[in-house]
Amino acid sequence: MLVTKHAAELCALLVNDLFGELPSRILVALFTKGRSNITQLARHTSLDPRILRNGLGVLAQHNLLYHYTDPDTNVTSYEANPDSCYNLVRSGKIAEVIDSQYGTAERNLVQTLIMLGNARVADLTHAFTSRTTRPTNGTHDPNSGLIESEDYLNTVLSRLIQAEIVETVRLDSFRSLAEVYREMDADVNRTAPGEKATKNKVENHALLVDRFRDFRDQSKSLKRQLDRFNGPVSKRRKLQNGASHADSFSDSAPLDPNIIVRVNYEKCLVQLRNQRLAEFAADALGEVTGQVYRALLEMLTTQLSRCQPDPLIGDQTGGQQQVAVTSVEILEHLDEIVEVQNGIGKAPKEKIDFQSAEKVKATPLDYESDSDDSDSAQAPPRRGPATVHDESESDDEVVERAQPRTAQQANGVARSRVKFEDEESHGSRLDQMRQHLLLLAESRHRFVRHCGTHGRGQWTVDFGQLMESLREAEMDAYIEHSFGRHGLRLTRILREKGKLDEKMLPSAALMKKSDVQGKMLAMQMAGLVDVQEVPKDNSRLANRTLFFWFFDGERTQSQLLDDIYKAMLRCLQTLQVERHKERNILAFVERKDVKGKEEEVMTAEHYNKYTRHLEEQKKLLGQVMRLDDMAAIFRDY
């Protein structure tokens, strides 16, 4: 995370709101002065070292800073962890996605770990088992969402560890990965006195990458043990279809009570990205197609540990290759309540291009290419009018599979050519689901790629290209909202053409010269576009100079991110002011004898003020969540 002024202020405000002024003050000093020891922090903050240690303990407990003790000097240095600080704003989103994907018990456990930071298994056991007053005799109700026994806690925690939502903590977990990488780099390339550096740089880098990957994956050792004992997490999910949660995990391996665990935010970001992409697909192609896409993403990201490649070694999956899943596997994973027969248009057989619909693309297309002609992929063989995978397959089934091309037209591309049928589809559930997958594959956003023919079709997702498409969509929405359709048109032309002479812009945009100049100047003041002056001679006169406008996407994204941080900061500061204004009423409703019956206890005037404050708080926090969605798209996904 690039820490700008507004990002640092936002992180400090989040920490101040949740943990108090002392940790926030220390964090501000670390952001401002950089890596420091406790003597330097005492000088920067004008605080007593004893008080500083209390604040540092809170920050370390919640993983909000890195710390490392030099074995030679025995001096501990501290460094802010901006990513963990910012992730505090996503606590509610993480809890919701865990609830939807795993269950209420898992959500409660994750919420507890978010509040505690790091926790021993024994402490978690004591915390959850002491919440219930009735004897459980080792039994529990899996539908209640309550963790009432040690065995059930062991079951829930094992599942989260296998899914990488929760990871184990060791001493080196509190070190900055960049610092560890620098140390390993220096150790690998170290030479003896008088010895020449004759080692192969390529071999040294490969050795460095292997060592760093091993260090980073040490937190997954318990996951690997549980996978051997319980089976992979994908199999455990499959066993839950038609069985209770407790029955499928009744034989979970017991956990060491002294193990320390915490939430793995990188894996949580993978789950949040799946949710965002499924919503994106649902908005573009329909609700049912979005549900099918969500099932596909869940299977593809089961073994995916992070959204983006590691910036230090460029490794995204921990050495794993890009995976693909078959149509049969997706159907087994898809919830049975999803009505896959909905959301797909019907068309006569003669109007369907089966070869294009079933075309297999073994490698991803270039992002800038919109044509399949340059692709080296080849279509499966055809029999008669359709592409088939099974000799026993009927023409009607093939038609059902190949209808997404017309379904896209039914979503608004060419409605006049679509003929809907009232009778029910004769194809099987698998054939109907494949129509949604083919519709996703032929979308201009390239949600999926049809990469094979095994298992009635193999599918994968090129996340890099897909996220670039999503970032462009968000950027276009921001530009259109700020500068209108004409501003969006001009920036799209510059993105496509690169640098363009200002004399060519009016004709390219079909706009008046005065309108183009006014819009370009407004966008230049906002930092979206810039101009390069190229003089024809040494006189440098205006009429002897070429002016080339260009759009810098990376700079615009960085500036937009900083604006998002600033807007989130202003929302939270406004919320603080509102809470201070109504501090007496808020303190009153926090009393135990008032909670739950505010309307009965409070006067009408005070209750109206309280409800208005809650409405304003909901609007401000909702705006913060929407801004965080944008920040995640441009930064994390």
Side-chain angles (χ1 to χ4, degrees):
M1 176 179 177
L2 178 62
V3 183
T4 61
K5 174 179 178 293
H6 295 117
E9 292 180 0
L10 175 61
C11 292
L13 183 60
L14 290 170
V15 173
N16 181 53
D17 189 41
L18 293 175
F19 307 112
E21 183 181 355
L22 176 59
S24 176
R25 188 171 173 181
I26 297 173
L27 199 63
V28 170
L30 290 174
F31 277 126
T32 305
K33 302 298 182 180
R35 188 172 180 173
S36 307
N37 55 41
I38 197 165
T39 304
Q40 294 169 332
L41 282 175
R43 184 168 62 252
H44 298 329
T45 60
S46 302
L47 294 174
D48 185 80
R50 180 180 58 84
I51 300 177
L52 276 176
R53 289 187 177 90
N54 294 332
L56 290 170
V58 174
L59 292 172
Q61 173 68 25
H62 292 86
N63 312 299
L64 301 178
L65 55 74
Y66 300 115
H67 60 87
Y68 174 64
T69 303
D70 192 336
D72 298 329
T73 61
N74 202 28
V75 175
T76 303
S77 57
Y78 303 91
E79 183 180 355
N81 185 354
D83 291 313
S84 293
C85 295
Y86 181 84
N87 283 331
L88 293 174
V89 80
R90 295 177 173 150
S91 302
K93 290 182 181 179
I94 292 173
E96 288 180 2
V97 74
I98 296 301
D99 189 13
S100 63
Q101 292 302 304
Y102 298 95
T104 306
E106 285 79 1
R107 181 200 64 191
N108 293 337
L109 181 55
V110 168
Q111 283 181 322
T112 302
L113 283 175
I114 290 175
M115 289 188 296
L116 296 177
N118 306 315
R120 291 193 314 144
V121 174
D123 296 334
L124 289 173
T125 302
H126 175 73
F128 279 100
T129 55
S130 62
R131 291 180 181 179
T132 176
T133 56
R134 64 180 184 276
T136 60
N137 297 324
T139 62
H140 58 272
D141 181 8
N143 299 320
S144 66
L146 299 177
I147 301 177
E148 302 172 345
S149 66
E150 182 177 354
D151 292 338
Y152 192 33
L153 173 65
N154 183 84
T155 294
V156 173
L157 188 56
S158 297
R159 185 184 183 197
L160 291 175
I161 292 174
Q162 286 189 261
E164 298 185 47
I165 300 297
V166 173
E167 64 179 359
T168 57
V169 178
R170 60 192 191 282
L171 186 60
D172 288 335
S173 299
F174 299 97
R175 296 191 63 188
S176 171
L177 291 178
E179 179 187 18
V180 174
Y181 183 84
R182 287 193 298 268
E183 287 187 3
M184 290 184 177
D185 189 15
D187 183 61
V188 168
N189 294 286
R190 181 181 293 115
T191 58
E195 181 183 357
K196 294 183 179 180
T198 58
K199 293 183 178 180
N200 192 332
K201 292 184 179 181
V202 176
E203 294 179 357
N204 284 357
H205 181 71
L207 177 61
L208 173 63
V209 169
D210 290 339
R211 290 181 58 179
F212 183 76
R213 186 183 293 122
D214 293 340
F215 172 85
R216 193 186 60 187
D217 293 343
Q218 286 179 11
S219 60
K220 300 179 183 178
S221 58
L222 180 58
K223 166 185 162 52
R224 291 189 287 268
Q225 295 177 12
L226 292 174
D227 285 343
R228 289 193 295 268
F229 187 87
N230 297 332
V233 66
S234 58
K235 288 187 177 182
R236 307 307 297 187
R237 287 187 184 179
K238 183 178 177 181
L239 287 174
Q240 291 172 24
N241 295 333
S244 69
H245 176 83
D247 293 338
S248 63
F249 264 89
S250 59
D251 56 346
S252 296
L255 299 177
D256 185 353
N258 294 318
I259 291 177
I260 302 176
V261 294
R262 68 181 181 188
V263 175
N264 180 12
Y265 284 99
E266 288 185 344
K267 184 63 175 183
C268 292
L269 284 177
V270 175
Q271 296 288 343
L272 291 176
R273 184 180 67 176
N274 288 350
Q275 185 181 49
R276 182 66 183 89
L277 289 176
E279 293 172 355
F280 186 34
D283 292 340
L285 302 172
E287 185 64 31
V288 179
T289 307
Q291 293 175 332
V292 174
Y293 192 45
R294 180 61 184 266
L296 169 64
L297 290 173
E298 288 176 13
M299 299 189 67
L300 286 176
T301 58
T302 300
Q303 302 298 327
L304 193 65
S305 301
R306 54 190 302 134
C307 290
Q308 294 183 350
D310 193 312
L312 297 174
I313 60 176
D315 178 44
Q316 181 176 9
T317 61
Q320 300 165 356
Q321 300 296 325
Q322 187 178 35
V323 296
V325 294
T326 65
S327 301
V328 176
E329 293 171 341
I330 299 172
L331 182 64
E332 292 177 354
H333 189 80
L334 185 65
D335 198 328
E336 294 182 356
I337 65 174
V338 178
E339 299 178 355
V340 293
Q341 71 272 15
N342 296 334
I344 296 295
K346 308 295 190 298
K349 182 192 303 183
E350 62 272 9
K351 292 188 177 181
I352 300 175
D353 186 349
F354 295 99
Q355 185 173 5
S356 298
E358 294 280 357
K359 190 169 186 178
V360 174
K361 302 177 179 64
T363 58
L365 287 171
D366 293 336
Y367 180 70
E368 299 296 334
S369 172
D370 292 329
S371 173
D372 291 346
D373 297 337
S374 61
D375 186 37
S376 60
Q378 56 183 357
R382 300 181 58 186
R383 186 189 66 181
T387 301
V388 297
H389 293 279
D390 192 349
E391 292 297 329
S392 62
E393 199 170 3
S394 66
D395 288 341
D396 289 337
E397 291 174 336
V398 174
V399 171
E400 292 295 334
R401 288 205 325 272
Q403 285 173 349
R405 178 167 298 277
T406 306
Q408 188 171 0
Q409 297 173 350
N411 281 278
V413 179
R415 295 180 181 272
S416 60
R417 298 183 180 180
V418 180
K419 295 181 180 179
F420 291 96
E421 298 177 2
D422 295 332
E423 62 271 13
E424 295 183 355
S425 173
H426 298 288
S428 65
R429 181 176 173 84
L430 176 60
D431 296 326
Q432 294 165 351
M433 186 203 67
R434 290 189 78 254
Q435 297 175 36
H436 294 277
L437 293 173
L438 290 169
L439 179 58
L440 289 164
E442 71 173 10
S443 169
R444 65 184 181 89
H445 297 293
R446 299 175 185 171
F447 288 108
V448 302
R449 175 162 55 87
H450 191 196
C451 61
T453 59
H454 298 291
R456 294 296 302 275
Q458 293 172 284
W459 313 89
T460 189
V461 176
D462 303 317
F463 286 104
Q465 293 183 357
L466 178 57
M467 291 313 305
E468 188 63 30
S469 177
L470 182 55
R471 279 189 285 269
E472 280 194 7
E474 287 289 338
M475 181 68 71
D476 289 347
Y478 163 74
I479 295 173
E480 184 176 10
H481 178 76
S482 302
F483 301 98
R485 292 184 298 107
H486 291 164
L488 177 60
R489 184 189 306 171
L490 290 168
T491 54
R492 280 181 170 175
I493 291 173
L494 292 178
R495 270 187 292 184
E496 180 182 355
K497 303 296 184 181
K499 293 183 180 179
L500 197 63
D501 188 358
E502 66 172 358
K503 297 178 181 178
M504 301 176 63
L505 270 176
S507 59
L510 302 178
M511 295 171 59
K512 295 180 180 180
K513 182 178 179 181
S514 59
D515 295 340
V516 170
Q517 289 178 342
K519 188 65 68 174
M520 296 301 291
L521 288 175
M523 291 192 293
Q524 185 185 24
M525 294 295 293
L528 286 179
V529 297
D530 208 344
V531 64
Q532 180 183 7
E533 301 179 9
V534 181
K536 294 181 180 179
D537 51 35
N538 293 333
S539 63
R540 306 186 71 87
L541 297 175
N543 59 356
R544 299 292 298 170
T545 302
L546 298 175
F547 296 92
F548 292 97
W549 288 98
F550 63 93
F551 176 83
D552 190 341
E554 292 184 2
R555 187 185 67 179
T556 303
Q557 288 188 16
S558 300
Q559 181 176 336
L560 179 57
L561 261 179
D562 193 50
D563 291 341
I564 291 172
Y565 296 145
K566 183 178 180 180
M568 295 174 68
L569 177 64
R570 296 294 179 264
C571 288
L572 294 176
Q573 287 175 337
T574 303
L575 181 58
Q576 276 192 334
V577 172
E578 295 297 325
R579 286 174 176 172
H580 182 72
K581 288 180 181 179
E582 307 296 341
R583 59 188 181 278
N584 294 330
I585 296 178
L586 294 177
F588 179 75
V589 298
E590 286 296 321
R591 289 170 42 177
K592 294 182 178 179
D593 58 338
V594 177
K595 279 186 177 181
K597 46 184 178 179
E598 293 85 354
E599 189 174 3
E600 302 174 6
V601 177
M602 301 172 68
T603 63
E605 179 184 0
H606 289 151
Y607 183 74
N608 290 336
K609 285 185 178 180
Y610 176 62
T611 54
R612 281 197 300 270
H613 172 76
L614 292 181
E615 291 176 359
E616 293 175 356
Q617 175 179 273
K618 183 179 180 180
K619 291 178 181 178
L620 289 170
L621 293 179
Q623 181 66 13
V624 170
M625 294 300 101
R626 286 191 289 270
L627 290 168
D628 174 60
D629 287 338
M630 289 186 63
I633 290 172
F634 289 111
R635 194 196 73 179
D636 298 317
Y637 298 163

